Amino acid sequence: MSALTQETHCDRGLDEVLWQARKAMDLPEGYRAEIIEAAIEVLPPGRRRNDVLAHRLRGALEARLAGSGFQVHQDIDVVHGRKVYAPCLFVAPEDLAAIRDEEGCGVDATRVSLIAGVVAPGADAHSGDERRRRYALAGIPVYVVIDDFDHEGAVTVFSSPDPDRCTYATETTVSYGTPVTVPEGPAKGLVIGEEVTRP
């Protein structure tokens, strides 16, 4: 069954209930709420190591994007239909006012060219799989995952989304210490290596 067919058969009433409930939430500072599948997931603030990795990746992306009309954004939600994602960071045009979602809850996923996530301690694989499927469904061109907990650490770059299958055609995983390159989009050519993942 294609992703579009799956979307057609999902419970639109539940989607709307979750959307309204999320909009009404008053979360403590630093907490964020996502709607990935059929539930709201509240995310606590990241740990220090997560913040260090996100900060290093942000710096590398900013250097690559200088003068491109794109920039790195954090602490802003990405919206696709009635789903809401709270990525560590993402790349989109500099002027987010021009690409906000229709209700002003975040930015429209169709204008996001890269999403990056840093895996939190205790995160389960199922949650990561759901995010990957949803980002592919939204057509996010590049999804970068930095994972301290995959053996000695790994970086995975997903690219070439296939929204009909909710998957990415290309997946490249390297261990920490081995560089990997962003293959497309405004950050194309960015090498993610030890300058980001070092202890």
Side-chain angles (χ1 to χ4, degrees), residues 67-81:
S68 69
F70 289 84
Q71 72 179 39
V72 184
H73 303 277
Q74 279 182 280
D75 301 324
I76 302 169
D77 295 327
V78 174
V79 179
H80 183 245

PDB file of all heavy atoms in Angstrom, residues 67-81:
ATOM      1  N   GLY A  67      25.720  32.942   2.372  1.00  0.00           N
ATOM      2  CA  GLY A  67      25.417  33.611   1.114  1.00  0.00           C
ATOM      3  C   GLY A  67      24.491  32.858   0.186  1.00  0.00           C
ATOM      4  O   GLY A  67      24.243  33.293  -0.940  1.00  0.00           O
ATOM      5  N   SER A  68      23.929  31.735   0.641  1.00  0.00           N
ATOM      6  CA  SER A  68      23.094  30.901  -0.239  1.00  0.00           C
ATOM      7  C   SER A  68      21.617  31.276  -0.223  1.00  0.00           C
ATOM      8  O   SER A  68      20.842  30.809  -1.057  1.00  0.00           O
ATOM      9  CB  SER A  68      23.225  29.425   0.165  1.00  0.00           C
ATOM     10  OG  SER A  68      22.610  29.204   1.433  1.00  0.00           O
ATOM     11  N   GLY A  69      21.192  32.088   0.759  1.00  0.00           N
ATOM     12  CA  GLY A  69      19.762  32.369   0.914  1.00  0.00           C
ATOM     13  C   GLY A  69      19.083  31.367   1.819  1.00  0.00           C
ATOM     14  O   GLY A  69      17.884  31.472   2.105  1.00  0.00           O
ATOM     15  N   PHE A  70      19.839  30.366   2.280  1.00  0.00           N
ATOM     16  CA  PHE A  70      19.325  29.357   3.219  1.00  0.00           C
ATOM     17  C   PHE A  70      20.065  29.500   4.529  1.00  0.00           C
ATOM     18  O   PHE A  70      21.194  29.986   4.571  1.00  0.00           O
ATOM     19  CB  PHE A  70      19.532  27.943   2.671  1.00  0.00           C
ATOM     20  CG  PHE A  70      18.650  27.617   1.509  1.00  0.00           C
ATOM     21  CD1 PHE A  70      19.016  27.994   0.214  1.00  0.00           C
ATOM     22  CD2 PHE A  70      17.463  26.939   1.685  1.00  0.00           C
ATOM     23  CE1 PHE A  70      18.202  27.708  -0.863  1.00  0.00           C
ATOM     24  CE2 PHE A  70      16.643  26.646   0.608  1.00  0.00           C
ATOM     25  CZ  PHE A  70      17.013  27.030  -0.670  1.00  0.00           C
ATOM     26  N   GLN A  71      19.423  29.043   5.603  1.00  0.00           N
ATOM     27  CA  GLN A  71      20.117  29.057   6.878  1.00  0.00           C
ATOM     28  C   GLN A  71      19.625  27.910   7.751  1.00  0.00           C
ATOM     29  O   GLN A  71      18.630  27.252   7.433  1.00  0.00           O
ATOM     30  CB  GLN A  71      19.972  30.389   7.595  1.00  0.00           C
ATOM     31  CG  GLN A  71      18.620  30.683   8.181  1.00  0.00           C
ATOM     32  CD  GLN A  71      18.622  32.037   8.897  1.00  0.00           C
ATOM     33  OE1 GLN A  71      19.227  32.997   8.434  1.00  0.00           O
ATOM     34  NE2 GLN A  71      17.935  32.112  10.012  1.00  0.00           N
ATOM     35  N   VAL A  72      20.332  27.721   8.859  1.00  0.00           N
ATOM     36  CA  VAL A  72      19.982  26.674   9.817  1.00  0.00           C
ATOM     37  C   VAL A  72      19.013  27.260  10.835  1.00  0.00           C
ATOM     38  O   VAL A  72      19.205  28.373  11.326  1.00  0.00           O
ATOM     39  CB  VAL A  72      21.239  26.151  10.536  1.00  0.00           C
ATOM     40  CG1 VAL A  72      20.874  24.999  11.467  1.00  0.00           C
ATOM     41  CG2 VAL A  72      22.290  25.719   9.530  1.00  0.00           C
ATOM     42  N   HIS A  73      17.967  26.497  11.152  1.00  0.00           N
ATOM     43  CA  HIS A  73      16.969  26.921  12.132  1.00  0.00           C
ATOM     44  C   HIS A  73      16.863  25.857  13.222  1.00  0.00           C
ATOM     45  O   HIS A  73      17.007  24.664  12.947  1.00  0.00           O
ATOM     46  CB  HIS A  73      15.608  27.105  11.462  1.00  0.00           C
ATOM     47  CG  HIS A  73      15.625  28.068  10.326  1.00  0.00           C
ATOM     48  ND1 HIS A  73      15.522  29.431  10.497  1.00  0.00           N
ATOM     49  CD2 HIS A  73      15.766  27.870   8.985  1.00  0.00           C
ATOM     50  CE1 HIS A  73      15.574  30.033   9.315  1.00  0.00           C
ATOM     51  NE2 HIS A  73      15.724  29.102   8.386  1.00  0.00           N
ATOM     52  N   GLN A  74      16.619  26.296  14.448  1.00  0.00           N
ATOM     53  CA  GLN A  74      16.439  25.403  15.585  1.00  0.00           C
ATOM     54  C   GLN A  74      15.248  25.858  16.409  1.00  0.00           C
ATOM     55  O   GLN A  74      14.827  27.022  16.317  1.00  0.00           O
ATOM     56  CB  GLN A  74      17.676  25.411  16.489  1.00  0.00           C
ATOM     57  CG  GLN A  74      18.814  24.540  16.001  1.00  0.00           C
ATOM     58  CD  GLN A  74      19.983  24.561  16.970  1.00  0.00           C
ATOM     59  OE1 GLN A  74      20.754  25.499  16.958  1.00  0.00           O
ATOM     60  NE2 GLN A  74      20.099  23.525  17.774  1.00  0.00           N
ATOM     61  N   ASP A  75      14.726  24.921  17.211  1.00  0.00           N
ATOM     62  CA  ASP A  75      13.644  25.226  18.154  1.00  0.00           C
ATOM     63  C   ASP A  75      12.386  25.733  17.463  1.00  0.00           C
ATOM     64  O   ASP A  75      11.622  26.519  18.026  1.00  0.00           O
ATOM     65  CB  ASP A  75      14.106  26.230  19.218  1.00  0.00           C
ATOM     66  CG  ASP A  75      15.286  25.713  20.017  1.00  0.00           C
ATOM     67  OD1 ASP A  75      15.328  24.497  20.269  1.00  0.00           O
ATOM     68  OD2 ASP A  75      16.168  26.518  20.364  1.00  0.00           O
ATOM     69  N   ILE A  76      12.183  25.314  16.233  1.00  0.00           N
ATOM     70  CA  ILE A  76      10.975  25.652  15.469  1.00  0.00           C
ATOM     71  C   ILE A  76      10.434  24.343  14.921  1.00  0.00           C
ATOM     72  O   ILE A  76      11.195  23.482  14.472  1.00  0.00           O
ATOM     73  CB  ILE A  76      11.289  26.622  14.312  1.00  0.00           C
ATOM     74  CG1 ILE A  76      11.924  27.906  14.854  1.00  0.00           C
ATOM     75  CG2 ILE A  76      10.032  26.942  13.505  1.00  0.00           C
ATOM     76  CD1 ILE A  76      12.514  28.798  13.786  1.00  0.00           C
ATOM     77  N   ASP A  77       9.126  24.177  14.947  1.00  0.00           N
ATOM     78  CA  ASP A  77       8.521  22.942  14.464  1.00  0.00           C
ATOM     79  C   ASP A  77       8.361  22.954  12.949  1.00  0.00           C
ATOM     80  O   ASP A  77       8.180  24.003  12.333  1.00  0.00           O
ATOM     81  CB  ASP A  77       7.160  22.737  15.124  1.00  0.00           C
ATOM     82  CG  ASP A  77       7.290  22.520  16.628  1.00  0.00           C
ATOM     83  OD1 ASP A  77       8.292  21.924  17.061  1.00  0.00           O
ATOM     84  OD2 ASP A  77       6.391  22.962  17.373  1.00  0.00           O
ATOM     85  N   VAL A  78       8.404  21.759  12.384  1.00  0.00           N
ATOM     86  CA  VAL A  78       8.178  21.551  10.955  1.00  0.00           C
ATOM     87  C   VAL A  78       6.833  20.836  10.827  1.00  0.00           C
ATOM     88  O   VAL A  78       6.594  19.831  11.507  1.00  0.00           O
ATOM     89  CB  VAL A  78       9.322  20.712  10.339  1.00  0.00           C
ATOM     90  CG1 VAL A  78       9.027  20.376   8.892  1.00  0.00           C
ATOM     91  CG2 VAL A  78      10.652  21.456  10.466  1.00  0.00           C
ATOM     92  N   VAL A  79       5.963  21.354   9.976  1.00  0.00           N
ATOM     93  CA  VAL A  79       4.587  20.852   9.886  1.00  0.00           C
ATOM     94  C   VAL A  79       4.325  20.279   8.506  1.00  0.00           C
ATOM     95  O   VAL A  79       4.656  20.887   7.484  1.00  0.00           O
ATOM     96  CB  VAL A  79       3.580  21.991  10.187  1.00  0.00           C
ATOM     97  CG1 VAL A  79       2.154  21.501  10.080  1.00  0.00           C
ATOM     98  CG2 VAL A  79       3.846  22.580  11.572  1.00  0.00           C
ATOM     99  N   HIS A  80       3.709  19.081   8.496  1.00  0.00           N
ATOM    100  CA  HIS A  80       3.296  18.444   7.252  1.00  0.00           C
ATOM    101  C   HIS A  80       1.887  17.917   7.455  1.00  0.00           C
ATOM    102  O   HIS A  80       1.674  16.938   8.178  1.00  0.00           O
ATOM    103  CB  HIS A  80       4.257  17.306   6.880  1.00  0.00           C
ATOM    104  CG  HIS A  80       3.927  16.655   5.588  1.00  0.00           C
ATOM    105  ND1 HIS A  80       3.533  15.344   5.494  1.00  0.00           N
ATOM    106  CD2 HIS A  80       3.927  17.140   4.316  1.00  0.00           C
ATOM    107  CE1 HIS A  80       3.321  15.038   4.232  1.00  0.00           C
ATOM    108  NE2 HIS A  80       3.546  16.120   3.498  1.00  0.00           N
ATOM    109  N   GLY A  81       0.904  18.582   6.862  1.00  0.00           N
ATOM    110  CA  GLY A  81      -0.485  18.207   7.102  1.00  0.00           C
ATOM    111  C   GLY A  81      -0.829  18.457   8.562  1.00  0.00           C
ATOM    112  O   GLY A  81      -0.651  19.559   9.072  1.00  0.00           O
TER     113      GLY A  81
END
